[in-house]
Amino acid sequence: MSYEIELAAARAAMARAGAKAFEYWRTGLAADAKSDDSPVTAADRECERILVQELCAQFPDDGILGEEGAEKPSSSGRRWIVDPIDGTRDFVRGNRLWSMLLALEDAGEVVVGVANFPALGDMYWASKGAGAWRTPQKPDAGDAERLRASVVKEVSEAVMCINSFTNIQRSGFSGRLLEWLRHFWAVRSMGGALDAMMIAAGSADGWLEQSAKPWDLAAIKIIAEEAGARFFNFDGGNSIYGGNCVLCTPALETAMRRFVNS
């Protein structure tokens, strides 16, 4: 099944919401604390509203699940999953690493994903069976670039990314992590969605995310998989509802599974 219409609508909605988010980011704004102590801003709420409004207008039978509370039951078996600002701490501190994530779930499977980085000028996108792509958000930027995971096979040649170092002690492998990491060629922590897109683009080779919600993982899952990367949960599953995930090149999958499961 082709999802060209849904992907085009998602990209257009994300471009419009991204322009609004960029306006907020350039101006600067304070964040409020949610019940879990994570930050939220007016930009999160407004961008979620824009995305939900457009998606509901074009796909009225589809459901909605939004990080900032948007929720609508589905009568089509499909649901849009929205993270209006991923990396709100980056957003409020004025750096460029924040993103916006949008995905379509059909019968429990993620089939469309868009990751927009308005401050960096890049949009990543994919749909089931159609590959993963990156489009620079600049006038006359040229054609979309096909994304492919790297062919790195050895840990000693691999770039490893870790998210949420502040909470890493919650993971069962935290006591082994530093010793394990020293075997990699390089270790980076650029921020969740950007790390994941580095895997899809072939500029990094492994990523550990030890605490995540469905809206954090849905878009990046299909983009990474369509680029040829592997996605799995620490318990060996393959779900955006697993609470964590690993992304990696195919050749590193066995080593990564062994580490998170041991």
Side-chain angles (χ1 to χ4, degrees):
M1 178 177 179
S2 172
Y3 292 92
E4 291 182 10
I5 293 173
E6 291 83 354
L7 178 59
R11 291 178 60 197
M14 285 285 267
R16 285 188 281 273
K20 175 59 68 175
F22 189 72
E23 290 178 15
Y24 276 111
W25 176 76
R26 290 186 63 186
T27 303
L29 71 174
D32 300 320
K34 295 193 285 190
S35 59
D36 62 357
D37 291 328
S38 62
V40 61
T41 70
D44 294 82
R45 300 184 181 100
E46 176 64 9
C47 290
E48 182 164 289
R49 185 195 67 78
I50 291 171
L51 290 167
V52 169
Q53 183 178 55
E54 294 208 15
L55 294 168
C56 287
Q58 296 187 66
F59 309 104
D61 296 329
D62 292 355
I64 298 286
L65 175 65
E67 179 182 11
E68 305 310 331
E71 191 168 1
K72 175 178 176 284
S74 172
S75 59
S76 65
R78 310 192 324 176
R79 178 166 70 168
W80 293 92
I81 301 176
V82 183
D83 189 347
I85 305 288
D86 184 70
T88 303
R89 289 183 173 87
D90 297 313
F91 187 91
V92 299
R93 290 302 300 267
N95 76 47
R96 298 176 180 270
L97 305 183
W98 55 278
S99 65
M100 311 174 73
L101 303 174
L102 176 63
L104 175 62
E105 185 181 48
D106 188 354
E109 180 184 8
V110 181
V111 294
V112 169
V114 180
N116 191 18
F117 294 80
L120 293 176
D122 287 322
M123 182 182 289
Y124 299 75
W125 42 277
S127 61
K128 184 179 179 182
W133 305 82
R134 174 170 55 196
T135 308
Q137 299 299 293
K138 301 174 184 177
D140 303 319
D143 296 334
E145 173 191 2
R146 181 87 183 245
L147 301 178
R148 291 181 173 85
S150 84
V151 295
V152 167
K153 297 180 179 180
E154 303 296 334
V155 166
S156 61
E157 300 173 354
V159 176
M160 183 65 198
C161 300
I162 308 285
N163 198 36
S164 300
F165 270 109
T166 52
N167 297 319
I168 206 72
Q169 74 279 0
R170 299 177 185 174
S171 300
F173 53 71
S174 61
R176 300 178 282 112
L177 182 62
L178 290 180
E179 171 61 22
W180 183 64
L181 289 177
R182 75 180 184 86
H183 298 286
F184 284 83
W185 186 67
V187 178
R188 299 288 182 262
S189 182
M190 305 298 292
L194 184 56
D195 287 340
M197 293 304 96
M198 289 170 63
I199 304 298
S203 53
D205 311 293
W207 179 57
L208 290 180
E209 169 56 88
Q210 56 90 31
S211 180
K213 301 294 186 181
W215 44 77
D216 298 314
L217 300 179
I220 68 172
K221 181 179 189 292
I222 186 165
I223 295 171
E225 289 183 333
E226 285 292 322
R230 299 289 191 262
F231 174 104
F232 54 91
N233 307 119
F234 292 0
D235 65 2
N238 184 42
S239 173
I240 63 171
Y241 302 98
N244 53 54
C245 84
V246 175
L247 292 179
C248 64
T249 67
L252 295 180
E253 181 177 4
T254 298
M256 297 287 283
R257 285 186 182 274
R258 184 183 303 121
F259 177 74
V260 297
N261 287 326
S262 61

